[in-house]
């Protein structure tokens, strides 16, 4: 099965630059490449930081571009996304009963679990008790098929200090959940 993984687009309003780059033009180029070379993908998974400042305009632009691919899109938020605007403006944003943007996507090769690791008010990620319980329920539900986890914040140190300081806070709790389920593939 073929899927597309997109992350950290950091979209801004039209004409605004991010570190000297026009994020909208770059994203248009990404989408054009998907349409020209990868239109046979089963889905697109977006793992956060869709918008640099969480502005509705950036999310609307993202939606327009993603809709033009004709491919199903599943996304979660990152530390730069704004939870309320994201939930209100991202097409297909799936909120669980606790208000987290996380979902299970059944695919021909197994289940993709998209985890919400955003800690509001911080750049670091979190794996709080409610998210742990959600993941445990999903792993139990899908215990007979391969599971693939998607999240914005790294659940282990990468030895890149600027990234490690904003990684997942509860690395040990995450590892204890994942390591007890043999069907977690990636």
């Amino acid at each position: 099965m073929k899927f597309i993984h997109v992350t950290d687009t950091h979209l801004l309003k039209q004409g605004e630059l991010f570190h000297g780059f026009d994020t909208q033009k770059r994203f248009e180029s990404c989408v054009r490449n998907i349409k020209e070379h990868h239109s046979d993908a089963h889905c697109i998974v977006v793992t956060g930081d869709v918008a640099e400042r969480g502005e509705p305009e950036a999310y609307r632009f993202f939606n327009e571009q993603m809709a033009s691919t004709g491919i199903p899109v599943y996304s979660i938020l990152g530390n730069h996304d704004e939870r309320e605007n994201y939930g209100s403006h991202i097409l297909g944003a799936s909120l669980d009963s606790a208000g987290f943007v996380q979902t299970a996507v059944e695919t021909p090769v197994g289940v993709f679990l998209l985890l919400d690791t955003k800690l509001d008010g911080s750049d670091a990620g979190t794996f709080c008790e409610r998210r742990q319980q959600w993941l445990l329920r999903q792993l139990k539900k899908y215990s007979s098929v391969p599971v693939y986890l998607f999240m914005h914040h790294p659940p282990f140190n990468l030895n890149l200090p600027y990234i490690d300081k904003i990684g997942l806070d509860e690395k040990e709790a995450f590892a204890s959940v994942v390591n007890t389920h043999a069907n977690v593939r990636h």
Side-chain angles (χ1 to χ4, degrees):
M1 185 194 90
K2 177 180 188 177
F3 73 94
I4 307 294
H5 178 213
V6 175
T7 193
D8 292 272
T9 55
H10 292 274
L11 293 170
L12 291 166
K13 292 179 181 177
Q14 186 174 9
E16 289 187 48
L17 301 180
F18 180 74
H19 298 288
F21 296 101
D22 185 321
T23 59
Q24 289 197 7
K25 287 193 185 308
R26 283 188 148 205
F27 191 58
E28 286 172 336
S29 178
C30 170
V31 170
R32 190 170 39 257
N33 185 279
I34 290 170
K35 291 192 293 192
E36 290 174 8
H37 303 289
H38 305 287
S39 62
D40 59 336
H42 181 77
C43 66
I44 300 170
V45 177
V46 183
T47 54
D49 283 353
V50 170
E52 171 64 12
R53 293 187 294 264
E55 297 166 319
E57 181 180 326
Y59 294 133
R60 284 191 293 271
F61 176 76
F62 172 83
N63 288 336
E64 291 166 8
Q65 291 295 307
M66 288 282 94
S68 76
T69 68
I71 302 170
V73 177
Y74 305 99
S75 64
I76 51 176
L77 32 70
N79 51 298
H80 284 267
D81 291 307
E82 201 279 323
R83 187 174 296 281
E84 185 175 329
N85 284 341
Y86 188 96
S88 299
H89 295 284
I90 291 290
L91 294 176
S94 181
L95 300 173
D96 71 7
S97 61
F100 297 121
V101 179
Q102 43 195 21
T103 192
V105 179
E106 296 179 10
T107 76
V109 297
V111 174
F112 290 2
L113 296 180
L114 284 69
L115 307 174
D116 180 338
T117 57
K118 179 176 174 58
L119 177 59
D120 293 327
S122 173
D123 284 333
T126 190
F127 187 58
C128 67
E129 181 65 30
R130 289 187 298 178
R131 292 174 233 220
Q132 290 174 39
Q133 293 306 313
W134 181 87
L135 180 56
L136 285 167
R137 284 191 306 276
Q138 300 307 312
L139 290 170
K140 181 179 180 183
K141 178 179 179 180
Y142 295 108
S143 63
S144 64
V145 298
V147 170
Y148 303 86
L149 302 177
F150 294 85
M151 55 203 299
H152 182 72
H153 297 88
F156 46 80
N157 286 332
L158 301 174
N159 293 317
L160 298 168
Y162 63 98
I163 299 230
D164 291 343
K165 74 179 181 180
I166 64 169
L168 198 65
D169 285 344
E170 295 83 4
K171 292 173 180 65
E172 296 79 18
F174 181 80
S176 70
V177 169
V178 171
N179 291 337
T180 59
H181 293 81
N183 61 325
V184 175
R185 298 292 186 253
H186 298 283

